[in-house]
DNA sequence: GTGGTCTAGACCACA
DNA sequence: GTGGTCTAGACCACA
């Protein structure tokens, strides 16, 4: 996954999402040590403060933790991580359905729309 | 549709979305005169300038136009409006699929997820 | 010449320009009686007040005049009308040259640009 | 280039034009950081909001972009910038030719008119 | 009455 | 320090 940012959304948020994604997808595995803030900052081409902020917020969600004087680690709690993933999936699906309903589509139209998209991929 | 705003996104953008939605859903019909900026501002509880900005941006997309000294009207171009709607739907569906794929789900998992959600509604 | 308006500029100004154009091009000839304000308003699909304002401003420039209780007439002063025309042409040409110079083009580039355009017409 | 405004056209539009001109003429070069909104506002003697609006619209055309929390920069895409310039030149030339033709001048008269003007400069 | 522009001033997120 | 948003309020052109 590349460190690219969309410009119209806060970089720290996009960073958060990318890092969480790397954890969910086991690019950073359970119990792994994460790269130092400075390395990520360099690689992503952003200010270390921005990485710091993203990390702090992810830590707030419990899926990474800090060993003082050592570094940050991915939580060993695999259930937590898979819970984060399924929460994420469910919220996206709910938002998607909600949005299309507000545009006036019913369930079967929503299903058809999705199938159309999946076919073209 | 209520004039409620989420707080973490600009009001003028949310206004834009709500108004476009009203047009797509024919609450404001083709050729209709829209309520005056000041009326919407009052109803939505925001400053007229904020409504003005939303309107100007929607006008930039061509689905409404201004008659000077008179007011704003929904475009008579029904094709344009239905194009806006289907663009909207397609983009949402694409984003949804893209996001779930980046979380590691394949097509059949995405389909299953959506069906689960639709069942619970 | 059709009575069509661009929307982002005042209608009365566009009306002025169209009417003056009709005079310069002898669609309305020296000494002719102009159509009544109400007829023009109907034909152009605008408010009679707007036509009235355009007429008043043209009258201010001397190329039309009012006979009370009768109507408006194109001035008999042919020199005045051709002066208006050449003023118009000169001002346009000056503005054009000025604008292109401010974009950094020199005289010969301006000439070339114009010749390119004339070729493609 | 002075920050002077004509009074009968919106200031934000004139600002837009002046800033774009400065980019086209490489007063603000590819990749350069632009002066802060507040500085330009002070220099031009207008409200920062007005500059903000001009900037936002220029950004919409893609030739400048914002680094959040940092400032605005001229696009690195030199092709885009030269395209903007030539579009600008062509549109001016087309408008000019169109206007003179509607006044009844033919191609050779238009050419002569321009040459007269260029001689007197 | 309608939209369009502008100012002054405030407050916020971001880096 | 930088841009982004928003409000309050004013004034104007237009129809």
């Amino acid at each position: 996954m590349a460190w690219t940012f969309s410009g119209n959304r806060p970089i720290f948020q996009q960073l958060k999402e990318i890092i969480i994604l790397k954890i969910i997808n086991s690019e950073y595995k359970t119990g792994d040590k994460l790269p130092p803030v400075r390395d990520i900052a360099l690689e992503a081409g952003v200010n270390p403060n921005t990485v710091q902020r993203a990390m702090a917020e992810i830590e707030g969600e419990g899926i990474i933790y800090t060993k003082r004087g050592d570094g940050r680690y991915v939580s060993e709690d695999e259930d937590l991580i898979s819970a984060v993933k399924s929460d994420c999936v469910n919220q996206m699906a709910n938002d998607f359905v909600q949005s299309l309903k507000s545009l006036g589509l019913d369930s079967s139209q929503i299903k058809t729309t999705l199938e159309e998209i999946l076919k073209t991929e």
Side-chain angles (χ1 to χ4, degrees), chain A:
Chain A
M1 174 142 342
W3 298 100
T4 49
F5 306 100
S6 85
N8 54 349
R9 283 170 54 229
I11 290 176
F12 84 92
Q13 262 189 21
Q14 301 183 55
L15 262 178
K16 255 181 79 176
E17 291 165 8
I18 294 175
I19 294 168
I20 291 176
L21 220 59
K22 284 176 187 277
I23 294 172
I24 285 175
N25 290 336
S26 300
E27 187 170 334
Y28 299 147
K29 295 187 186 60
T30 291
D32 268 13
K33 182 171 181 172
L34 293 168
V37 163
R38 263 174 277 176
D39 289 10
I40 293 181
L42 214 66
E43 209 183 310
V46 301
N47 192 299
N49 290 331
T50 309
V51 179
Q52 185 62 35
R53 177 166 177 189
M55 287 297 195
E57 298 213 0
I58 297 171
E59 200 160 342
E61 299 181 19
I63 60 179
I64 67 177
Y65 64 95
T66 300
K67 282 193 195 165
R68 295 189 54 139
D70 180 1
R72 283 196 176 80
Y73 289 80
V74 179
S75 163
E76 278 87 8
D77 183 349
E78 303 205 15
D79 291 346
L80 176 62
I81 289 169
S82 54
V84 165
K85 177 170 174 175
S86 62
D87 279 1
C88 201
V89 168
N90 281 322
Q91 200 192 327
M92 282 173 177
N94 264 309
D95 288 353
F96 175 61
V97 168
Q98 219 46 52
S99 300
L100 290 204
K101 289 204 165 169
S102 78
L103 282 172
L105 278 69
D106 63 29
S107 292
S108 83
Q109 288 172 315
I110 293 174
K111 218 168 126 185
T112 310
T113 302
L114 187 82
E115 281 160 2
E116 289 298 322
I117 296 287
L118 288 173
K119 227 179 289 174
T120 66
E121 300 263 326

